[in-house]
Amino acid sequence: MTLPKVSVVVPVFNGERFIGEALASLWREQNVEAEIIVADDGSTDGSVGMVKALAEQDPRIRLIIGEHRGVSATRNIGVRAATGEYITFLDCDDICPPGRIARQVLKLASHGTIAAVVGETLWFEALTPDLNPVPGTRHMRGLCVTLHSALFRHSVFETYGLFDEKLKSCEDLDFFLRLSEGGARFLIETEIASLYRRHPGNMTKNSQQLQKATVAALQRSIARRRAAGRSEPLDVFFMRQFTMETMFSSAGSECVSSSPAVSLS
């Protein structure tokens, strides 16, 4: 039986601390033919060497080395190199839950008019061996815009374009907004689709800067929709990431939250 081919794009910049764990989480995926594209964004640590060593053990891993251009350009390099029918993403410090990709492939394959399947995200500081949050550490679960909790048809990128390389942040929000503006439909699932590690290295974003970038992305979307003669309000789904990032950063020693799943059309 021919298995569905999925391209997993993994952008990495100085990610030697967690890249091994991130790639190891993909080894557990079954019932799909995975193409793991690691796009290096000019790392100056040992990331490239680690990925090369792992690629010798796993022929599914393909390493693309480039100059430092930022995460949007790096993801675009990975998407352009992808040959799978489906595309998903994994950041170099995050973890893909076992079975997530195969589950989302089945859902996407059975809904021909759906552009992407989006699941919930679990923010965490530390996990037990069975991938549950370590008691007493901060963790939070919810539904929001994250690329690594979604599976897209490859054709989505041909229809709606790639990530805006001029954006320094919120490029993922901008991408989802452009899909929505173009009439793309999402299937929302209630299962956890991404384990999103929060650590000092990726929690340095200034809250005001993140808020400013989020508002700018929303304003660009509103301007595009007004120019097209559309007046419907934005779905609250697109505003959840900033809210949840802020909640997690300001939480105490332990935080558990769940947001309801909704259907977007």
Side-chain angles (χ1 to χ4, degrees):
M1 182 181 73
T2 302
L3 296 175
K5 187 173 184 178
V6 180
S7 298
V8 186
V9 177
V10 185
V12 57
F13 176 68
N14 291 345
E16 65 177 350
R17 181 180 177 188
F18 298 117
I19 184 64
E21 189 176 354
L23 295 178
S25 72
L26 296 172
W27 297 343
R28 295 185 286 258
E29 279 299 317
Q30 299 179 356
N31 301 317
V32 296
E33 179 188 349
E35 172 187 55
I36 304 171
I37 302 172
V38 180
D40 182 75
D41 187 28
S43 293
T44 57
D45 64 354
S47 297
V48 169
M50 290 187 65
V51 175
K52 285 182 177 179
L54 292 170
E56 292 179 357
Q57 305 171 36
D58 188 346
R60 300 175 305 169
I61 297 175
R62 178 153 53 110
L63 174 63
I64 302 175
I65 302 174
E67 299 178 352
H68 183 56
R69 297 174 56 195
V71 68
S72 292
T74 305
R75 285 198 184 107
N76 286 343
I77 289 171
V79 171
R80 291 189 185 101
T83 62
E85 180 183 358
Y86 305 101
I87 295 179
T88 189
F89 299 87
L90 180 67
D91 285 352
C92 66
D93 49 5
D94 296 333
I95 294 174
C96 179
R100 185 273 284 190
I101 296 176
R103 181 186 71 238
Q104 291 187 331
V105 165
L106 285 175
K107 292 180 179 180
L108 202 51
S110 61
H111 293 80
T113 62
I114 297 299
V117 178
V118 184
E120 294 197 356
T121 295
L122 175 67
W123 279 255
F124 73 93
E125 288 182 315
L127 296 177
T128 63
D130 57 354
L131 302 182
N132 288 313
V134 172
T137 62
R138 287 186 296 177
H139 57 280
M140 183 169 59
R141 173 178 176 174
L143 174 68
C144 67
V145 172
T146 53
L147 293 170
H148 39 80
S149 66
L151 178 76
F152 303 88
R153 297 186 192 278
H154 195 145
S155 59
V156 164
F157 298 90
E158 299 166 357
T159 302
Y160 298 97
L162 301 174
F163 299 101
D164 189 340
E165 298 182 11
K166 298 188 298 293
L167 301 179
K168 301 301 181 183
S169 62
C170 291
E171 73 288 337
D172 47 358
L173 173 59
D174 176 79
F175 180 71
F176 273 100
L177 286 168
R178 285 191 282 120
L179 264 61
S180 178
E181 294 161 23
R185 300 179 66 235
F186 308 109
L187 176 65
I188 305 301
E189 62 176 7
T190 57
E191 295 94 335
I192 292 176
S194 171
L195 302 178
Y196 186 28
R197 189 192 309 267
R198 309 308 284 140
H199 57 90
N202 67 2
M203 292 184 68
T204 57
K205 289 182 178 178
N206 180 282
S207 178
Q208 290 183 341
Q209 292 176 338
L210 182 59
Q211 183 180 30
K212 183 178 180 180
T214 300
V215 170
L218 296 173
Q219 288 177 333
R220 285 193 298 272
S221 176
I222 292 171
R224 288 192 297 262
R225 290 184 298 113
R226 283 178 175 171
R230 300 170 58 182
S231 59
E232 69 276 11
L234 285 172
D235 194 290
V236 68
F237 169 72
F238 298 110
M239 306 171 193
R240 285 178 175 163
Q241 186 173 13
F242 172 74
T243 300
M244 298 192 72
E245 290 276 9
T246 303
M247 288 173 59
F248 189 93
S249 299
S250 61
S253 61
E254 188 168 359
C255 173
V256 181
S257 176
S258 180
S259 58
V262 296
S263 176
L264 303 181
S265 58

